[in-house]
Amino acid sequence: MKAGETPFFAGKEIPKEYLAAHFFNRKKELGEIPRKLRSKPPANLAIYGQRRIGKTSLLEKIFVELEKDCLPIFIKCEQLMPQTPHSFLNNLAI
């Protein structure tokens, strides 16, 4: 991190290059979620919470670990919000 930079990224996701150094206070989730995803059969999970509390950054951090032995797929539902059924399917396909 350069002098004068802040480790806080309110209103946006933590850039990937900062995930290791500036992601903290989620030890329980960082252990529990990958364990559940690796279980046989894998557990279905939903992560929910108020806006801007780090849900996406938590998943990005977990995906770095999961990429070593599986193919994580991440769908940002806010980007799928349809105007029409056709636009929903088009967004999902993208």
Side-chain angles (χ1 to χ4, degrees):
M1 178 185 280
K2 298 174 188 167
E5 282 187 315
T6 176
F8 303 104
F9 300 94
K12 60 182 179 178
E13 297 164 21
I14 298 174
K16 290 183 184 189
E17 62 269 19
Y18 290 104
L19 277 176
H22 301 290
F23 192 87
F24 56 92
N25 230 9
R26 296 282 191 257
K27 187 174 266 186
K28 176 184 172 190
E29 293 85 353
L30 289 171
E32 190 174 315
I33 294 171
R35 181 181 52 76
K36 288 182 177 183
L37 292 174
R38 288 183 174 123
S39 66
K40 301 294 181 195
N44 291 320
L45 300 173
I47 297 176
Y48 62 93
Q50 296 175 347
R51 295 185 68 218
R52 309 293 179 213
I53 62 168
K55 297 178 299 292
T56 300
S57 295
L58 174 64
L59 290 177
E60 291 286 346
K61 177 80 171 164
I62 290 170
F63 284 0
V64 169
E65 179 185 334
L66 291 177
E67 285 178 331
K68 297 172 188 168
D69 55 344
C70 66
L71 175 63
I73 298 173
F74 178 56
I75 300 172
K76 291 179 85 169
C77 295
E78 67 185 16
Q79 294 176 350
L80 293 177
M81 298 308 288
Q83 301 296 323
T84 67
H86 181 265
S87 68
F88 172 78
L89 293 174
N90 186 52
N91 290 343
L92 183 60
I94 291 170

Coordinates of all heavy atoms in Angstrom, one line a residue:
M1 N 0.8 -1.2 0.0 CA 0.0 0.0 0.0 C 0.9 1.2 0.0 O 1.9 1.3 0.7 CB -0.9 0.0 1.2 CG -1.8 1.2 1.3 SD -2.8 1.3 2.7 CE -4.1 0.3 2.3
K2 N 0.6 2.2 -0.8 CA 1.3 3.4 -0.9 C 1.0 4.4 0.3 O -0.1 4.3 0.8 CB 1.0 4.1 -2.2 CG 1.4 3.3 -3.4 CD 1.0 4.0 -4.7 CE 1.2 3.1 -5.9 NZ 0.5 3.5 -7.1
A3 N 1.9 5.2 0.6 CA 1.7 6.2 1.6 C 0.5 7.1 1.3 O 0.3 7.5 0.2 CB 2.9 7.1 1.8
G4 N -0.4 7.3 2.3 CA -1.6 8.1 2.1 C -2.8 7.3 1.6 O -3.9 7.8 1.6
E5 N -2.6 6.0 1.2 CA -3.7 5.3 0.8 C -4.5 4.7 2.0 O -3.9 4.4 3.0 CB -3.3 4.1 -0.1 CG -3.0 4.4 -1.5 CD -2.7 3.2 -2.4 OE1 -2.0 2.3 -1.9 OE2 -3.2 3.2 -3.5
T6 N -5.8 4.6 1.8 CA -6.6 4.0 2.9 C -7.0 2.6 2.6 O -7.2 2.3 1.4 CB -7.8 4.9 3.2 OG1 -8.6 4.2 4.2 CG2 -8.7 5.0 1.9
P7 N -7.0 1.7 3.6 CA -7.4 0.3 3.3 C -8.9 0.1 3.2 O -9.4 -1.0 3.0 CB -6.8 -0.5 4.5 CG -6.9 0.5 5.6 CD -6.6 1.9 5.0
F8 N -9.7 1.2 3.3 CA -11.1 1.1 3.3 C -11.7 1.4 1.9 O -11.2 2.3 1.3 CB -11.7 2.0 4.4 CG -11.2 1.7 5.8 CD1 -10.3 2.5 6.3 CD2 -11.6 0.6 6.4 CE1 -9.8 2.2 7.6 CE2 -11.1 0.3 7.7 CZ -10.2 1.1 8.3
F9 N -12.6 0.6 1.5 CA -13.2 0.8 0.2 C -14.7 0.8 0.3 O -15.4 0.0 -0.3 CB -12.8 -0.4 -0.7 CG -11.3 -0.5 -0.9 CD1 -10.5 -1.3 0.0 CD2 -10.6 0.2 -1.8 CE1 -9.2 -1.4 -0.2 CE2 -9.2 0.2 -2.0 CZ -8.5 -0.6 -1.1
A10 N -15.2 1.8 1.0 CA -16.7 1.9 1.2 C -17.4 2.1 -0.2 O -16.9 3.0 -0.9 CB -17.0 3.0 2.2
G11 N -18.4 1.4 -0.4 CA -19.2 1.6 -1.6 C -18.8 0.8 -2.8 O -19.4 0.9 -3.9
K12 N -17.7 0.0 -2.6 CA -17.2 -0.8 -3.8 C -16.5 -2.0 -3.2 O -16.2 -2.1 -2.0 CB -16.4 0.0 -4.7 CG -15.1 0.5 -4.1 CD -14.3 1.4 -5.1 CE -13.1 1.9 -4.4 NZ -12.2 2.7 -5.3
E13 N -16.3 -3.0 -4.1 CA -15.6 -4.2 -3.6 C -14.1 -3.9 -3.3 O -13.5 -3.0 -3.9 CB -15.7 -5.2 -4.7 CG -17.1 -5.7 -5.0 CD -17.3 -6.4 -6.3 OE1 -16.3 -6.9 -6.8 OE2 -18.4 -6.4 -6.9
I14 N -13.6 -4.7 -2.5 CA -12.1 -4.6 -2.2 C -11.4 -5.1 -3.4 O -11.6 -6.2 -3.9 CB -11.7 -5.4 -0.9 CG1 -12.4 -4.9 0.3 CG2 -10.2 -5.4 -0.7 CD1 -12.2 -5.8 1.5
P15 N -10.5 -4.3 -4.0 CA -9.7 -4.8 -5.1 C -8.9 -6.0 -4.8 O -8.5 -6.2 -3.6 CB -8.7 -3.6 -5.4 CG -9.4 -2.4 -4.9 CD -10.2 -2.9 -3.6
K16 N -8.8 -7.0 -5.7 CA -8.2 -8.3 -5.4 C -6.8 -8.2 -4.9 O -6.4 -9.0 -4.0 CB -8.2 -9.1 -6.7 CG -9.6 -9.6 -7.1 CD -9.6 -10.5 -8.3 CE -11.1 -10.7 -8.6 NZ -11.4 -11.7 -9.5
E17 N -6.0 -7.2 -5.3 CA -4.7 -7.1 -4.8 C -4.6 -6.7 -3.3 O -3.6 -6.8 -2.6 CB -3.8 -6.1 -5.6 CG -4.3 -4.7 -5.6 CD -5.3 -4.3 -6.7 OE1 -5.9 -5.3 -7.3 OE2 -5.5 -3.1 -7.0
Y18 N -5.8 -6.2 -2.7 CA -5.8 -5.8 -1.3 C -6.5 -6.9 -0.4 O -6.5 -6.7 0.8 CB -6.6 -4.5 -1.2 CG -5.8 -3.3 -1.7 CD1 -6.2 -2.7 -2.9 CD2 -4.8 -2.7 -1.0 CE1 -5.5 -1.6 -3.4 CE2 -4.1 -1.6 -1.5 CZ -4.5 -1.1 -2.7 OH -3.8 0.0 -3.2
L19 N -7.1 -7.9 -1.0 CA -7.8 -8.9 -0.3 C -7.0 -9.5 0.9 O -7.5 -9.7 2.0 CB -8.4 -10.0 -1.1 CG -9.7 -9.6 -1.8 CD1 -10.2 -10.7 -2.8 CD2 -10.8 -9.3 -0.9
A20 N -5.8 -9.9 0.6 CA -5.0 -10.6 1.6 C -4.6 -9.7 2.7 O -4.6 -10.1 3.9 CB -3.7 -11.2 0.9
A21 N -4.2 -8.5 2.4 CA -3.7 -7.6 3.4 C -4.8 -6.9 4.2 O -4.6 -6.5 5.4 CB -2.7 -6.6 2.8
H22 N -5.9 -6.6 3.6 CA -6.9 -5.7 4.2 C -8.3 -6.4 4.4 O -9.3 -5.7 4.4 CB -7.0 -4.4 3.4 CG -5.7 -3.7 3.3 ND1 -5.1 -3.1 4.4 CD2 -4.9 -3.5 2.3 CE1 -4.0 -2.5 4.0 NE2 -3.8 -2.8 2.7
F23 N -8.3 -7.7 4.5 CA -9.6 -8.3 4.8 C -9.5 -9.0 6.1 O -8.6 -9.8 6.4 CB -9.8 -9.4 3.7 CG -11.2 -9.9 3.7 CD1 -12.2 -9.3 3.1 CD2 -11.5 -11.0 4.5 CE1 -13.5 -9.7 3.1 CE2 -12.8 -11.5 4.5 CZ -13.8 -10.8 3.8
F24 N -10.3 -8.6 7.1 CA -10.2 -9.2 8.4 C -11.6 -9.3 9.1 O -12.6 -8.8 8.5 CB -9.3 -8.3 9.3 CG -9.7 -6.8 9.3 CD1 -10.5 -6.4 10.3 CD2 -9.3 -5.9 8.3 CE1 -11.0 -5.0 10.4 CE2 -9.7 -4.6 8.4 CZ -10.5 -4.2 9.4
N25 N -11.6 -9.9 10.2 CA -12.8 -10.0 11.0 C -13.9 -11.0 10.5 O -15.0 -10.9 10.7 CB -13.4 -8.7 11.3 CG -13.7 -8.4 12.7 OD1 -13.3 -9.2 13.6 ND2 -14.4 -7.3 13.0
R26 N -13.4 -11.9 9.6 CA -14.4 -12.9 9.1 C -13.8 -14.3 9.2 O -14.1 -15.2 8.3 CB -14.6 -12.6 7.6 CG -15.3 -11.3 7.3 CD -16.8 -11.4 7.6 NE -17.5 -10.3 7.2 CZ -18.0 -9.3 7.9 NH1 -17.8 -9.4 9.2 NH2 -18.7 -8.3 7.5
K27 N -13.0 -14.6 10.2 CA -12.4 -15.9 10.4 C -13.4 -17.0 10.4 O -13.2 -18.0 9.7 CB -11.5 -15.9 11.6 CG -10.7 -17.2 11.8 CD -9.8 -17.1 13.0 CE -8.5 -16.5 12.5 NZ -7.4 -16.5 13.5
K28 N -14.5 -16.9 11.1 CA -15.5 -17.9 11.2 C -16.1 -18.2 9.8 O -16.1 -19.4 9.4 CB -16.6 -17.5 12.1 CG -17.8 -18.4 12.2 CD -18.9 -17.9 13.1 CE -20.1 -18.8 13.0 NZ -21.3 -18.2 13.6
E29 N -16.4 -17.2 9.0 CA -17.0 -17.4 7.7 C -16.0 -17.9 6.7 O -16.3 -18.8 5.9 CB -17.6 -16.0 7.2 CG -18.8 -15.5 7.9 CD -18.4 -14.7 9.2 OE1 -17.2 -14.6 9.5 OE2 -19.3 -14.1 9.8
L30 N -14.7 -17.5 6.8 CA -13.7 -18.0 5.9 C -13.4 -19.5 6.1 O -12.9 -20.1 5.2 CB -12.4 -17.2 6.1 CG -12.5 -15.7 5.6 CD1 -11.2 -15.0 6.0 CD2 -12.6 -15.7 4.1
G31 N -13.7 -20.0 7.3 CA -13.6 -21.4 7.5 C -14.8 -22.2 7.2 O -14.8 -23.3 6.6
E32 N -16.0 -21.7 7.6 CA -17.2 -22.4 7.5 C -17.8 -22.5 6.1 O -18.2 -23.6 5.7 CB -18.3 -21.6 8.4 CG -19.6 -22.4 8.5 CD -20.5 -21.7 9.5 OE1 -20.0 -21.2 10.6 OE2 -21.7 -21.5 9.2
I33 N -17.7 -21.4 5.3 CA -18.3 -21.5 4.0 C -17.5 -22.4 3.0 O -18.2 -23.3 2.4 CB -18.4 -20.0 3.4 CG1 -19.4 -19.2 4.2 CG2 -18.7 -20.1 1.9 CD1 -19.4 -17.7 3.8
P34 N -16.2 -22.4 3.0 CA -15.5 -23.4 2.1 C -15.7 -24.8 2.6 O -15.9 -25.7 1.7 CB -14.0 -23.0 2.2 CG -14.0 -21.6 2.6 CD -15.2 -21.4 3.5
R35 N -15.8 -25.0 3.9 CA -16.1 -26.4 4.4 C -17.4 -26.9 3.9 O -17.6 -28.0 3.5 CB -16.0 -26.4 5.9 CG -16.2 -27.8 6.6 CD -16.2 -27.7 8.1 NE -17.0 -26.7 8.7 CZ -18.4 -26.8 8.8 NH1 -19.0 -27.9 8.4 NH2 -19.1 -25.9 9.4
K36 N -18.4 -26.0 4.0 CA -19.8 -26.4 3.5 C -19.8 -26.7 2.0 O -20.5 -27.6 1.5 CB -20.8 -25.4 3.9 CG -21.1 -25.4 5.4 CD -22.1 -24.4 5.8 CE -22.4 -24.5 7.3 NZ -23.5 -23.6 7.7
L37 N -19.1 -25.9 1.3 CA -19.1 -26.0 -0.2 C -18.3 -27.3 -0.6 O -18.6 -27.8 -1.7 CB -18.5 -24.8 -0.8 CG -19.3 -23.5 -0.7 CD1 -18.5 -22.3 -1.3 CD2 -20.6 -23.7 -1.4
R38 N -17.4 -27.7 0.2 CA -16.6 -28.9 -0.1 C -17.2 -30.2 0.4 O -16.8 -31.3 0.1 CB -15.2 -28.8 0.4 CG -14.3 -27.8 -0.3 CD -12.9 -27.8 0.3 NE -12.1 -26.9 -0.5 CZ -11.4 -25.9 0.0 NH1 -11.4 -25.6 1.2 NH2 -10.6 -25.1 -0.8
S39 N -18.3 -30.0 1.2 CA -18.9 -31.2 1.8 C -19.6 -32.1 0.7 O -19.8 -31.6 -0.4 CB -20.0 -30.8 2.8 OG -21.0 -30.1 2.2
K40 N -19.8 -33.3 1.0 CA -20.5 -34.2 0.0 C -21.8 -34.6 0.5 O -22.0 -35.2 1.5 CB -19.6 -35.5 -0.2 CG -18.2 -35.2 -0.7 CD -18.2 -34.7 -2.0 CE -16.8 -34.5 -2.5 NZ -16.6 -33.7 -3.6
P41 N -22.9 -34.2 -0.1 CA -23.0 -33.3 -1.2 C -22.8 -31.9 -0.7 O -23.0 -31.6 0.4 CB -24.4 -33.5 -1.7 CG -25.2 -33.9 -0.6 CD -24.3 -34.7 0.3
P42 N -22.4 -31.0 -1.6 CA -22.1 -29.6 -1.2 C -23.4 -28.9 -0.7 O -24.5 -29.2 -1.2 CB -21.7 -28.9 -2.5 CG -21.3 -30.0 -3.4 CD -22.1 -31.2 -3.0
A43 N -23.3 -28.1 0.3 CA -24.4 -27.4 0.9 C -24.8 -26.3 0.0 O -24.0 -25.6 -0.6 CB -24.1 -26.9 2.3
N44 N -26.1 -26.0 -0.1 CA -26.6 -24.8 -0.7 C -26.5 -23.6 0.3 O -26.9 -23.8 1.4 CB -28.0 -24.9 -1.2 CG -28.2 -25.9 -2.3 OD1 -27.4 -25.9 -3.2 ND2 -29.2 -26.7 -2.3
L45 N -25.9 -22.5 -0.2 CA -25.7 -21.4 0.7 C -26.3 -20.1 0.2 O -26.3 -20.0 -1.1 CB -24.2 -21.2 1.0 CG -23.5 -22.3 1.6 CD1 -22.0 -22.0 1.6 CD2 -23.9 -22.6 3.0
A46 N -26.7 -19.3 1.0 CA -27.1 -17.9 0.6 C -26.4 -17.0 1.6 O -26.4 -17.2 2.8 CB -28.6 -17.7 0.7
I47 N -25.8 -16.0 1.1 CA -25.1 -14.9 1.9 C -26.0 -13.7 1.8 O -26.2 -13.2 0.7 CB -23.7 -14.7 1.5 CG1 -22.9 -16.0 1.7 CG2 -23.1 -13.6 2.3 CD1 -21.5 -15.9 1.3
Y48 N -26.5 -13.2 2.9 CA -27.3 -12.0 2.8 C -26.9 -11.0 4.0 O -26.3 -11.4 4.9 CB -28.8 -12.4 2.9 CG -29.2 -13.0 4.2 CD1 -29.7 -12.3 5.2 CD2 -29.0 -14.4 4.4 CE1 -30.0 -12.9 6.5 CE2 -29.4 -15.0 5.6 CZ -29.9 -14.2 6.6 OH -30.2 -14.8 7.8
G49 N -27.3 -9.8 3.8 CA -27.0 -8.8 4.8 C -27.3 -7.4 4.3 O -27.6 -7.3 3.1
Q50 N -27.1 -6.5 5.1 CA -27.3 -5.1 4.7 C -26.3 -4.7 3.6 O -25.2 -5.4 3.4 CB -27.1 -4.1 5.9 CG -28.1 -4.3 6.9 CD -27.8 -3.4 8.1 OE1 -26.7 -2.9 8.3 NE2 -28.7 -3.3 9.0
R51 N -26.6 -3.7 2.9 CA -25.7 -3.2 1.8 C -24.4 -2.8 2.4 O -24.3 -2.2 3.5 CB -26.4 -2.0 1.1 CG -27.6 -2.4 0.3 CD -28.2 -1.3 -0.5 NE -27.2 -1.0 -1.6 CZ -26.9 0.2 -2.0 NH1 -27.5 1.3 -1.5 NH2 -26.1 0.4 -3.0
R52 N -23.3 -3.0 1.6 CA -22.0 -2.4 1.9 C -21.4 -2.9 3.2 O -20.7 -2.2 3.9 CB -22.0 -0.9 1.9 CG -22.7 -0.3 0.7 CD -21.8 -0.6 -0.5 NE -22.5 0.0 -1.7 CZ -22.4 -0.5 -2.9 NH1 -21.7 -1.6 -3.1 NH2 -23.0 0.1 -3.9
I53 N -21.6 -4.2 3.5 CA -20.9 -4.8 4.7 C -19.9 -5.8 4.4 O -19.3 -6.4 5.3 CB -22.0 -5.3 5.7 CG1 -22.7 -6.5 5.1 CG2 -22.9 -4.3 6.2 CD1 -23.5 -7.3 6.1
G54 N -19.6 -6.1 3.1 CA -18.5 -6.9 2.7 C -18.9 -8.3 2.2 O -18.1 -9.2 2.1
K55 N -20.2 -8.5 1.8 CA -20.6 -9.8 1.3 C -19.8 -10.2 0.0 O -19.3 -11.3 -0.1 CB -22.1 -9.8 1.0 CG -23.0 -9.6 2.2 CD -24.5 -9.5 1.8 CE -24.8 -8.5 0.9 NZ -24.7 -7.1 1.4
T56 N -19.7 -9.3 -0.9 CA -19.0 -9.6 -2.2 C -17.5 -9.8 -1.9 O -16.9 -10.8 -2.4 CB -19.2 -8.5 -3.2 OG1 -20.6 -8.4 -3.5 CG2 -18.5 -8.8 -4.5
S57 N -16.9 -9.0 -1.1 CA -15.5 -9.1 -0.8 C -15.2 -10.5 -0.1 O -14.2 -11.1 -0.3 CB -15.0 -8.0 0.1 OG -15.1 -6.8 -0.7
L58 N -16.2 -10.9 0.8 CA -16.0 -12.2 1.5 C -16.0 -13.3 0.4 O -15.2 -14.2 0.5 CB -17.2 -12.4 2.5 CG -17.3 -13.8 3.1 CD1 -16.1 -14.0 4.0 CD2 -18.6 -13.9 3.9
L59 N -16.9 -13.3 -0.5 CA -16.9 -14.3 -1.6 C -15.7 -14.3 -2.4 O -15.1 -15.3 -2.8 CB -18.2 -14.1 -2.4 CG -19.5 -14.5 -1.7 CD1 -20.7 -14.2 -2.7 CD2 -19.5 -15.9 -1.3
E60 N -15.2 -13.1 -2.8 CA -14.0 -12.9 -3.6 C -12.8 -13.6 -2.8 O -12.0 -14.3 -3.4 CB -13.7 -11.5 -3.9 CG -14.7 -10.8 -4.8 CD -14.5 -11.2 -6.3 OE1 -13.4 -11.8 -6.6 OE2 -15.4 -11.0 -7.0
K61 N -12.7 -13.4 -1.5 CA -11.6 -13.9 -0.7 C -11.8 -15.4 -0.7 O -10.8 -16.1 -0.8 CB -11.7 -13.3 0.7 CG -10.7 -13.9 1.7 CD -9.4 -13.3 1.5 CE -8.5 -13.7 2.7 NZ -7.1 -13.4 2.4
I62 N -12.9 -16.0 -0.5 CA -13.2 -17.4 -0.5 C -12.9 -18.0 -1.8 O -12.3 -19.1 -1.9 CB -14.6 -17.7 0.0 CG1 -14.7 -17.4 1.5 CG2 -14.9 -19.2 -0.3 CD1 -16.1 -17.5 2.0
F63 N -13.2 -17.4 -2.9 CA -13.0 -17.9 -4.3 C -11.5 -18.1 -4.6 O -11.1 -19.0 -5.3 CB -13.7 -17.0 -5.3 CG -15.2 -17.2 -5.4 CD1 -15.8 -18.1 -4.5 CD2 -15.9 -16.5 -6.3 CE1 -17.2 -18.3 -4.6 CE2 -17.3 -16.7 -6.4 CZ -17.9 -17.5 -5.5
V64 N -10.7 -17.2 -4.0 CA -9.2 -17.3 -4.2 C -8.8 -18.7 -3.7 O -8.0 -19.4 -4.3 CB -8.5 -16.2 -3.5 CG1 -7.0 -16.4 -3.5 CG2 -8.8 -14.9 -4.2
E65 N -9.3 -19.1 -2.5 CA -8.9 -20.4 -2.0 C -9.6 -21.5 -2.7 O -9.0 -22.5 -3.0 CB -9.4 -20.4 -0.5 CG -9.1 -21.8 0.2 CD -9.7 -21.8 1.6 OE1 -9.9 -20.8 2.2 OE2 -10.0 -23.0 2.0
L66 N -10.8 -21.4 -3.1 CA -11.6 -22.5 -3.8 C -11.0 -22.7 -5.2 O -11.2 -23.8 -5.7 CB -13.1 -22.1 -3.9 CG -13.8 -22.2 -2.6 CD1 -15.3 -21.8 -2.8 CD2 -13.8 -23.5 -1.9
E67 N -10.5 -21.7 -5.9 CA -10.0 -21.9 -7.2 C -8.9 -23.0 -7.3 O -8.6 -23.5 -8.4 CB -9.5 -20.6 -7.8 CG -10.6 -19.6 -8.2 CD -10.0 -18.3 -8.7 OE1 -8.9 -17.9 -8.3 OE2 -10.7 -17.7 -9.5
K68 N -8.3 -23.3 -6.2 CA -7.2 -24.3 -6.2 C -7.7 -25.7 -6.5 O -7.0 -26.5 -7.0 CB -6.5 -24.3 -4.8 CG -5.8 -23.0 -4.5 CD -5.3 -22.9 -3.1 CE -4.8 -21.6 -2.8 NZ -4.5 -21.4 -1.4
D69 N -9.0 -26.0 -6.1 CA -9.5 -27.3 -6.3 C -10.9 -27.4 -6.9 O -11.5 -28.5 -6.9 CB -9.4 -28.1 -5.0 CG -10.1 -27.4 -3.8 OD1 -10.4 -26.2 -3.9 OD2 -10.3 -28.1 -2.8
C70 N -11.5 -26.3 -7.3 CA -12.8 -26.4 -7.9 C -13.0 -25.1 -8.8 O -12.2 -24.2 -8.8 CB -13.9 -26.5 -6.9 SG -14.1 -25.1 -5.8
L71 N -14.1 -25.1 -9.4 CA -14.5 -23.9 -10.3 C -15.6 -23.2 -9.7 O -16.8 -23.5 -9.8 CB -14.8 -24.4 -11.7 CG -15.3 -23.3 -12.7 CD1 -14.2 -22.3 -12.9 CD2 -15.8 -23.9 -13.9
P72 N -15.3 -22.1 -8.9 CA -16.4 -21.4 -8.3 C -17.1 -20.5 -9.4 O -16.5 -20.0 -10.3 CB -15.8 -20.5 -7.3 CG -14.3 -20.4 -7.7 CD -14.0 -21.6 -8.5
I73 N -18.4 -20.4 -9.2 CA -19.2 -19.6 -10.1 C -20.0 -18.6 -9.3 O -20.7 -18.9 -8.3 CB -20.2 -20.4 -11.0 CG1 -19.5 -21.4 -11.8 CG2 -21.2 -19.5 -11.8 CD1 -20.4 -22.4 -12.5
F74 N -19.8 -17.3 -9.6 CA -20.4 -16.2 -8.8 C -21.4 -15.5 -9.7 O -21.0 -15.0 -10.7 CB -19.3 -15.4 -8.3 CG -19.7 -14.2 -7.5 CD1 -20.5 -14.3 -6.4 CD2 -19.3 -12.9 -7.9 CE1 -20.9 -13.2 -5.6 CE2 -19.7 -11.8 -7.1 CZ -20.5 -12.0 -6.0
I75 N -22.6 -15.3 -9.2 CA -23.6 -14.6 -10.0 C -24.0 -13.4 -9.1 O -24.5 -13.6 -8.0 CB -24.8 -15.5 -10.3 CG1 -24.4 -16.6 -11.2 CG2 -25.9 -14.6 -11.0 CD1 -25.5 -17.7 -11.4
K76 N -23.8 -12.2 -9.6 CA -24.3 -11.0 -8.9 C -25.7 -10.8 -9.2 O -26.0 -10.3 -10.3 CB -23.4 -9.8 -9.2 CG -22.0 -10.0 -8.7 CD -21.1 -8.8 -9.1 CE -21.3 -7.7 -8.1 NZ -20.3 -6.6 -8.2
C77 N -26.6 -11.1 -8.3 CA -28.0 -11.0 -8.6 C -28.5 -9.6 -9.0 O -29.4 -9.4 -9.8 CB -28.9 -11.5 -7.4 SG -28.6 -13.3 -7.2
E78 N -27.8 -8.5 -8.4 CA -28.2 -7.2 -8.7 C -28.1 -6.9 -10.2 O -28.7 -6.0 -10.7 CB -27.5 -6.2 -7.9 CG -26.0 -6.1 -8.2 CD -25.2 -5.2 -7.3 OE1 -25.7 -4.8 -6.2 OE2 -24.1 -4.9 -7.6
Q79 N -27.2 -7.6 -10.9 CA -27.0 -7.4 -12.3 C -27.9 -8.1 -13.1 O -28.0 -8.0 -14.3 CB -25.5 -7.7 -12.7 CG -24.5 -6.8 -12.0 CD -23.1 -7.2 -12.3 OE1 -22.8 -8.3 -12.9 NE2 -22.2 -6.3 -12.0
L80 N -28.7 -9.0 -12.5 CA -29.7 -9.9 -13.2 C -31.1 -9.3 -13.2 O -32.0 -9.8 -13.9 CB -29.7 -11.3 -12.7 CG -28.5 -12.1 -12.9 CD1 -28.7 -13.5 -12.2 CD2 -28.1 -12.3 -14.3
M81 N -31.3 -8.3 -12.4 CA -32.7 -7.7 -12.3 C -33.3 -7.4 -13.6 O -32.8 -6.6 -14.4 CB -32.7 -6.5 -11.4 CG -32.1 -6.8 -10.0 SD -32.9 -8.1 -9.1 CE -34.5 -7.4 -8.8
P82 N -34.3 -8.2 -14.0 CA -34.9 -8.1 -15.3 C -35.8 -6.9 -15.5 O -36.5 -6.5 -14.6 CB -35.6 -9.4 -15.5 CG -36.1 -9.7 -14.1 CD -35.0 -9.2 -13.2
Q83 N -35.8 -6.4 -16.7 CA -36.8 -5.5 -17.1 C -37.9 -6.3 -17.8 O -39.1 -6.0 -17.7 CB -36.3 -4.4 -18.2 CG -35.1 -3.6 -17.6 CD -35.6 -2.7 -16.4 OE1 -36.7 -2.2 -16.5 NE2 -34.8 -2.6 -15.4
T84 N -37.5 -7.4 -18.5 CA -38.4 -8.3 -19.1 C -37.9 -9.7 -18.9 O -36.7 -9.8 -18.6 CB -38.5 -8.0 -20.6 OG1 -37.2 -8.3 -21.2 CG2 -38.9 -6.5 -20.9
P85 N -38.7 -10.7 -19.2 CA -38.1 -12.1 -19.1 C -36.9 -12.3 -20.1 O -36.0 -13.0 -19.7 CB -39.3 -13.0 -19.4 CG -40.5 -12.2 -19.1 CD -40.1 -10.8 -19.3
H86 N -37.0 -11.7 -21.2 CA -35.9 -11.8 -22.2 C -34.7 -11.2 -21.7 O -33.6 -11.8 -21.8 CB -36.4 -11.2 -23.5 CG -35.3 -11.3 -24.6 ND1 -34.4 -10.3 -24.8 CD2 -35.0 -12.3 -25.4 CE1 -33.6 -10.6 -25.8 NE2 -33.9 -11.9 -26.2
S87 N -34.8 -10.0 -21.1 CA -33.5 -9.3 -20.6 C -32.9 -10.1 -19.4 O -31.7 -10.2 -19.2 CB -33.8 -7.9 -20.2 OG -34.7 -7.8 -19.0
F88 N -33.8 -10.8 -18.6 CA -33.3 -11.6 -17.5 C -32.4 -12.7 -18.0 O -31.3 -13.0 -17.6 CB -34.4 -12.2 -16.6 CG -33.9 -13.2 -15.6 CD1 -33.3 -12.8 -14.5 CD2 -34.1 -14.5 -15.9 CE1 -32.9 -13.7 -13.5 CE2 -33.7 -15.5 -14.9 CZ -33.1 -15.0 -13.8
L89 N -33.0 -13.5 -19.0 CA -32.2 -14.6 -19.6 C -31.0 -14.1 -20.3 O -29.9 -14.8 -20.2 CB -33.1 -15.3 -20.6 CG -34.3 -16.1 -19.9 CD1 -35.2 -16.7 -21.0 CD2 -33.9 -17.1 -19.0
N90 N -31.0 -13.0 -21.0 CA -29.9 -12.4 -21.6 C -28.8 -12.1 -20.6 O -27.6 -12.4 -20.8 CB -30.2 -11.2 -22.4 CG -29.1 -10.7 -23.3 OD1 -28.5 -11.4 -24.0 ND2 -28.8 -9.4 -23.1
N91 N -29.2 -11.4 -19.5 CA -28.2 -11.1 -18.4 C -27.6 -12.3 -17.8 O -26.4 -12.4 -17.5 CB -28.9 -10.2 -17.4 CG -29.2 -8.8 -17.9 OD1 -28.7 -8.4 -18.9 ND2 -30.0 -8.1 -17.1
L92 N -28.4 -13.4 -17.6 CA -28.0 -14.6 -17.0 C -27.0 -15.3 -17.9 O -25.9 -15.8 -17.4 CB -29.1 -15.5 -16.7 CG -28.8 -16.8 -16.0 CD1 -28.2 -16.6 -14.6 CD2 -30.1 -17.7 -15.8
A93 N -27.2 -15.3 -19.2 CA -26.3 -15.9 -20.2 C -25.0 -15.2 -20.2 O -24.0 -15.8 -20.4 CB -27.0 -15.9 -21.5
I94 N -25.0 -13.9 -20.1 CA -23.7 -13.2 -20.1 C -22.9 -13.5 -18.9 O -21.8 -13.7 -18.9 CB -24.0 -11.6 -20.1 CG1 -24.6 -11.3 -21.5 CG2 -22.7 -10.8 -19.9 CD1 -25.1 -9.8 -21.5

